[in-house]
Amino acid sequence: MISCAKTDVGIKRKVNQDAIFYSDTVVGKLPNLYLVADGMGGELAGDYASAKCVETIINCIKKSKETEPVRILEEAIQTANNLIYAESKSDPGKAGMGTTLVMATIIDGHLFVANVGDSRLYVANSSKVLQVTKDHSVVAELVRTGELDEDDARTDKRKNMITRAIGAESAIAADYFDVALKGREHILLCSDGLTNMVSDKEILSILKSADSIEDRATRLVELANSNGGKDNISVIIVE
């Protein structure tokens, strides 16, 4: 695997509440690991929540005695949720904090994915891009029930209202996916600072271009900023 990551504060925000981690080499019993977390709460609390989530997950995975990949991811997510929730209740300055999370590992041609919130993972080939994760958000639920169409969802004022977050409640239910890879796919993990500013069509165009992986990651961030840059922007491309 090769990967490249970029994170940017965007145009409108003063603090970057996104946290990322990417490794093409072994982390614990996993052969590789990629994470994007997008914090919420006050500026300091959201920044802390995402960074603490990533740090806790990495440490938990390194120490895990589990052998099955989904169990390793699940154990790490539960540990991070417990820690962040406890701190949000014990420290008034961190009350209400939480973070989204999307993470993945690739093992023997299979992409194992976990997500909480509205940070996303896409798999793209030369002709199409597939959103693997399902957003845990008010707007996504309205789209799924047919009460809102995709075009209106992109500009709906409830866009940033998420229904699940690491640390928001005492128990968390993450979604897990197992995607069989055929080879030559482009994998993208990102925060909503990208997807609220850049369409899936534009994402596909950049991912399948002949540019280097570093240039493609930079172009995604630059396009989000040129389209308004309303939020922090984080991307990890894996190939």
Side-chain angles (χ1 to χ4, degrees):
M1 310 308 303
I2 60 167
S3 64
C4 182
K6 301 284 183 182
T7 186
D8 188 85
V9 70
I11 303 298
K12 304 293 186 180
R13 299 293 178 91
K14 295 180 180 179
V15 175
N16 191 345
Q17 294 185 314
D18 289 358
I20 62 175
F21 174 84
Y22 60 110
S23 175
D24 300 323
T25 57
V26 171
V27 179
K29 293 186 177 68
L30 301 179
N32 46 67
L33 183 64
Y34 311 95
L35 296 91
V36 171
D38 179 359
M40 66 180 196
E43 285 188 350
L44 294 179
D47 184 23
Y48 178 87
S50 60
K52 194 68 175 179
C53 178
V54 170
E55 176 190 3
T56 303
I57 283 175
I58 294 167
N59 289 338
C60 187
I61 289 174
K62 286 179 177 178
K63 297 174 183 176
S64 180
K65 292 180 170 55
E66 298 286 348
T67 56
E68 202 273 325
V70 174
R71 286 291 302 136
I72 294 172
L73 301 182
E74 184 178 31
E75 178 186 45
I77 287 172
Q78 297 300 328
T79 300
N81 187 77
N82 293 344
L83 188 153
I84 294 169
Y85 179 76
E87 288 199 35
S88 74
K89 293 302 181 183
S90 63
D91 184 346
K94 297 172 184 172
M97 72 175 175
T99 182
T100 70
L101 173 70
V102 60
M103 66 173 169
T105 185
I106 300 164
I107 304 173
D108 296 332
H110 283 259
L111 173 66
F112 296 96
V113 184
N115 86 286
V116 176
D118 61 357
S119 293
R120 296 179 178 178
L121 183 142
Y122 291 89
V123 174
N125 57 28
S126 60
S127 61
K128 63 182 180 180
V129 59
L130 170 69
Q131 181 184 335
V132 172
T133 52
K134 307 299 180 185
D135 294 351
H136 301 139
S137 69
V138 170
V139 166
E141 292 293 341
L142 293 173
V143 170
R144 283 192 280 270
T145 59
E147 298 175 61
L148 196 65
D149 65 32
E150 292 281 0
D151 290 337
D152 290 337
R154 290 185 60 82
T155 56
D156 194 281
K157 292 181 179 180
R158 296 162 292 184
K159 186 76 176 174
N160 293 326
M161 297 173 62
I162 60 175
T163 55
R164 295 187 214 174
I166 301 287
E169 298 181 5
S170 58
I172 189 65
D175 286 347
Y176 298 91
F177 305 89
D178 178 350
V179 181
L181 299 175
K182 297 179 180 178
R184 300 197 177 189
E185 290 96 341
H186 312 283
I187 298 161
L188 172 68
L189 295 83
C190 60
S191 61
D192 68 342
L194 177 75
T195 54
N196 286 342
M197 296 287 101
V198 181
S199 70
D200 287 4
K201 183 178 180 180
E202 290 170 318
I203 288 172
L204 176 60
S205 177
I206 291 174
L207 287 179
K208 71 177 186 179
S209 75
D211 293 343
S212 69
I213 190 170
E214 292 83 4
D215 286 345
R216 281 176 281 151
T218 299
R219 284 178 60 196
L220 287 171
V221 171
E222 289 177 344
L223 183 56
N225 276 327
S226 67
N227 288 347
K230 294 181 180 179
D231 202 351
N232 310 142
I233 308 150
S234 293
V235 304
I236 302 175
I237 301 175
V238 188
E239 297 178 334

